[in-house]
Amino acid sequence: MLKRPVDKSKLPSRHVTEGPARAPQRSYFYAMGITEEEIHQPWVGVATCWNEAAPCNIALNRQAQVVKQGVKKGGGTPREFTTITVTDGIAMGNEGMRSSLASRDAIADTVELTMRGHSYDALVGLAGCDKSLPGMMMAMVRLNVPSVFIYGGSILPGRLDGKDVTVQDVFEAVGKHQAGTMSDAELEILERVACPSSGACGAQYTANTMACVSEAIGLALMNSSGAPAPYESRDQFCEASGVSVMNLIEKNIRARDVVTRKSLENAARVVACTGGSTNAALHLPAIANEAGIDFDLFDVADIMRDTPYFVNLRPGGEYVAKDLYEVGGVPVVMKELSKAGLLHEDCMTASGRTLGEELEDIKGEADGRVIHPVSTPLSKTGGVVGLKGNLAPEGAIVKVAGMTEAEQVFTGPARVFECEEDAFAAVKAREYQEGEVIVIRNEGPMGGPGMREMLATTAALSGQGMGKKIALITDGRFSGATRGFCVGHVGPEAAKGGPIALLKDGDQITLNAVTGEISVALSDDELAQRKADWKGPRETLYASGAIWKYAQLVGSTRLGAVTHPGAKAERHVYADL
Ligand code: FES
């Protein structure tokens, strides 16, 4: 046992464990079998997003038990609690998806409230799905307590006809089935084998992207995100995370000592070089907001523009998270970035050592198959590109990993839909022409509400073989599993009267990911006239409840669609109360 002398005089838990006035609280603690010695140790919240909603979360509870053993080994008192999740893979393509992005902020809020309400001193957070990863990291930075993040691990790939398959193949199979090129029986076989285990979706979609971020930003231990969820070898990282948080308490290293402008840049580099999800351009600004750091969509896009893309992961490339783990994982990726001078190595990490010190211990090298050497990348610029122009003065984002330069330029007439359902129905009925730009508006954070992902529509287009013959723009989002020329996060959103609200069928739209342009061939005068004629935001069905509350609070996509002012406006830091 690593027992250390404990000075509780500055720790939040003193408010509930010390002195005669806290006898009632101690009674509750004794009722739960907590010993006198444990009461007077530092208290560590072990927050999981465990539930039975989806395979992404199902293995978190087991891993949390091992984290708790690590906390105890380090001389702390772990208290496990759970928060909510919304699972994108299940909410996708229906009204449930409106709860997804809102759940990120609800996760941050509920972890914050549990920590505040019970005066926990530090936090180990386990998460395994798209929104729970950023939500948990946001809570860590917001509370500014010593914090260690640990990913639940990814799913194993399924196998069919000698090939690895993932849930992306199932989404795209729906398009093939609609197009009549896949039978009912073939679809049924695929849906039964595509997801063979617990764990988050296996390709470089949002969960794995944010898992890579967790290591690059420094909140997670090196290589802790790599092993798939069913591997019990994950336990060594879980235990080490519990021990580490105690080390951070002792050294008073807090989340905002780890998350800095430089570490956010490191995180954006890793997203870019792995062809990660465009959702990182929402989540990194949101994490930055919790630290009071200015880091918006354009900052993310700038980094992506000069970062080579050299990690060959699906959906743009060929491999899944398990393959990345087997060739050394995120630390080897970061070593390559560092060889090109693209990494800030003086950033602090969850181990209490700097990123540079951690990387010195990494022996692996780029294998040339999954991780290419940075000197011979798959392409010279990142897998994700920021766009700007008269159609998106507050920017937009597109994933280009795996696309040729010629495929990154698209001009065509707009076909405008007022919501995802209308677009999906038209695609299903093939009521569109090759060469058009499908516009799906009123899907922004406020106007949706909830900034849904358009995967059902894009997967159906891919399934119809139209992925390269059609472009799509939206003020909503795309899943990491989306393929094709799909521009999301167009801002300002339609509900705020952004130019996307003013488009009409046939307007000529130009998208150019090489030059970073998104424009419509309309004069300033014409746009101003249409704005004057605009009837205002569309009414939604959400006039009460959590989604309504979210729509009242949520801010601009460019700044991460956050729901509170962040550290810049705070008058106290929780950990110092
Ligand atoms: Fe949870 Fe994909 S649905 S990670």
Side-chain angles (χ1 to χ4, degrees):
M1 292 274 270
L2 301 168
K3 291 287 179 192
R4 302 177 171 94
V6 183
D7 173 12
K8 294 250 289 191
S9 66
K10 292 204 168 67
L11 293 180
S13 65
R14 72 187 187 281
H15 298 303
V16 295
T17 62
E18 306 305 303
R22 302 310 175 205
Q25 281 91 338
R26 288 193 292 273
S27 296
Y28 289 128
F29 302 147
Y30 286 123
M32 294 186 285
I34 301 173
T35 66
E36 182 181 359
E37 186 188 12
E38 287 168 336
I39 287 173
H40 298 295
Q41 293 178 155
W43 285 55
V44 177
V46 177
T48 82
C49 302
W50 178 86
N51 60 42
E52 293 184 330
C56 350
N57 316 309
I58 205 91
L60 296 176
N61 176 273
R62 181 186 67 75
Q63 296 181 50
Q65 308 318 309
V66 192
V67 169
K68 285 155 65 181
Q69 287 168 18
V71 170
K72 286 184 180 169
K73 201 168 168 183
T77 300
R79 301 312 293 162
E80 183 183 350
F81 63 94
T82 59
T83 178
I84 67 144
T85 66
V86 171
T87 304
D88 288 20
I90 291 170
M92 192 70 69
N94 64 72
E95 286 291 308
M97 195 67 199
R98 299 195 193 285
S99 304
S100 165
L101 187 57
S103 78
R104 180 195 71 182
D105 297 64
I107 289 164
D109 291 351
T110 48
V111 171
E112 177 195 356
L113 293 173
T114 303
M115 292 285 293
R116 282 183 181 275
H118 303 94
S119 299
Y120 296 155
D121 301 317
L123 175 61
V124 181
L126 297 96
C129 192
D130 300 10
K131 303 304 167 296
S132 47
L133 279 89
M136 195 64 80
M137 289 187 255
M138 286 161 68
M140 291 172 170
V141 182
R142 186 183 300 176
L143 292 159
N144 198 21
V145 288
S147 300
V148 181
F149 177 87
I150 181 156
Y151 185 41
S154 79
I155 199 168
L156 296 171
R159 252 345 241 179
L160 186 62
D161 300 332
K163 283 197 222 129
D164 283 351
V165 288
T166 70
V167 72
Q168 180 181 350
D169 296 284
V170 189
F171 273 108
E172 292 182 4
V174 174
K176 289 184 191 158
H177 184 258
Q178 278 158 3
T181 56
M182 183 178 244
S183 69
D184 290 349
E186 286 170 321
L187 183 61
E188 197 182 319
I189 290 169
L190 177 62
E191 75 187 32
R192 285 171 193 271
V193 301
C195 297
S197 74
S198 61
C201 299
Q204 196 65 340
Y205 312 144
T206 308
N208 280 327
T209 299
M210 294 310 293
C212 293
V213 161
S214 72
E215 289 187 41
I217 211 166
L219 286 170
L221 294 180
M222 206 58 42
N223 211 20
S224 63
S225 70
Y231 287 18
E232 296 202 3
S233 62
R234 292 200 60 73
D235 288 2
Q236 60 188 299
F237 292 105
C238 295
E239 187 185 275
S241 298
V243 171
S244 275
V245 82
M246 296 309 299
N247 177 43
L248 297 180
I249 293 176
E250 188 181 21
K251 295 190 171 140
N252 195 25
I253 297 172
R254 300 179 183 188
R256 291 184 201 166
D257 298 319
V258 171
V259 175
T260 60
R261 167 91 201 188
K262 283 181 174 178
S263 73
L264 287 157
E265 290 180 3
N266 286 344
R269 293 256 183 238
V270 168
V271 175
C273 75
T274 59
S277 164
T278 51
N279 281 316
L282 268 181
H283 302 325
L284 291 177
I287 293 169
N289 178 58
E290 303 292 356
I293 298 168
D294 291 323
F295 194 74
D296 69 5
L297 180 145
F298 293 119
D299 293 301
V300 177
D302 282 350
I303 294 203
M304 288 170 171
R305 193 173 307 121
D306 66 0
T307 307
Y309 162 55
F310 59 87
V311 186
N312 190 5
L313 293 172
R314 289 189 191 192
E318 295 170 67
Y319 299 100
V320 296
K322 173 175 166 285
D323 302 311
L324 177 62
Y325 170 64
E326 286 167 358
V327 298
V330 181
V332 174
V333 173
M334 288 199 280
K335 249 176 88 173
E336 285 302 309
L337 284 170
S338 131
K339 285 179 193 167
L342 296 174
L343 206 67
H344 303 292
E345 294 190 22
D346 54 343
C347 294
M348 181 49 63
T349 74
S351 69
R353 304 199 305 159
T354 65
L355 189 57
E357 287 168 336
E358 287 292 327
L359 291 180
E360 268 173 28
D361 292 347
I362 303 298
K363 302 280 174 279
E365 295 291 339
D367 67 311
R369 186 179 57 101
V370 183
I371 306 173
H372 290 242
V374 69
S375 51
T376 52
L378 294 158
S379 69
K380 284 204 215 64
T381 59
V384 176
V385 175
L387 308 176
K388 199 176 181 183
N390 72 343
L391 185 44
E394 286 200 7
I397 199 145
V398 61
K399 187 166 184 170
V400 295
M403 289 166 72
T404 64
E405 222 167 90
E407 287 166 357
Q408 294 179 34
V409 181
F410 198 104
T411 298
R415 182 177 288 261
V416 181
F417 298 96
E418 301 299 339
C419 64
E420 189 197 8
E421 283 75 10
D422 291 358
F424 185 66
V427 167
K428 225 167 109 182
R430 295 192 76 125
E431 287 166 353
Y432 62 88
Q433 304 291 324
E434 285 181 24
E436 287 180 333
V437 178
I438 292 180
V439 178
I440 310 179
R441 65 188 176 198
N442 303 310
E443 293 290 358
M446 180 178 115
M451 205 180 183
R452 291 190 294 181
E453 291 182 346
M454 307 293 135
L455 179 61
T457 307
T458 58
L461 282 166
S462 285
Q464 291 174 0
M466 288 292 157
K468 293 183 178 170
K469 296 171 187 161
I470 284 276
L472 206 152
I473 72 167
T474 180
D475 50 4
R477 297 180 293 137
F478 291 108
S479 155
T482 282
R483 283 200 279 201
F485 203 151
C486 299
V487 180
H489 303 201
V490 171
E493 61 173 298
K496 292 186 175 158
I500 193 172
L502 314 176
L503 291 176
K504 295 181 179 167
D505 282 345
D507 287 343
Q508 202 67 12
I509 291 174
T510 295
L511 308 169
N512 188 330
V514 181
T515 59
E517 178 191 352
I518 176 167
S519 61
V520 55
L522 295 173
S523 65
D524 290 350
D525 287 349
E526 173 65 17
L527 280 169
Q529 186 55 51
R530 289 193 190 182
K531 183 78 186 271
D533 297 341
W534 183 56
K535 304 268 184 297
R538 185 186 65 135
E539 273 200 350
T540 79
L541 285 176
Y542 294 87
S544 68
I547 309 276
W548 175 84
K549 275 198 225 174
Y550 178 76
Q552 310 311 303
L553 291 171
V554 70
S556 144
T557 302
R558 177 173 72 85
L559 302 173
V562 296
T563 50
H564 77 132
K568 277 194 180 165
E570 74 188 6
R571 295 193 184 138
H572 75 274
V573 172
Y574 159 74
D576 295 328
L577 273 179

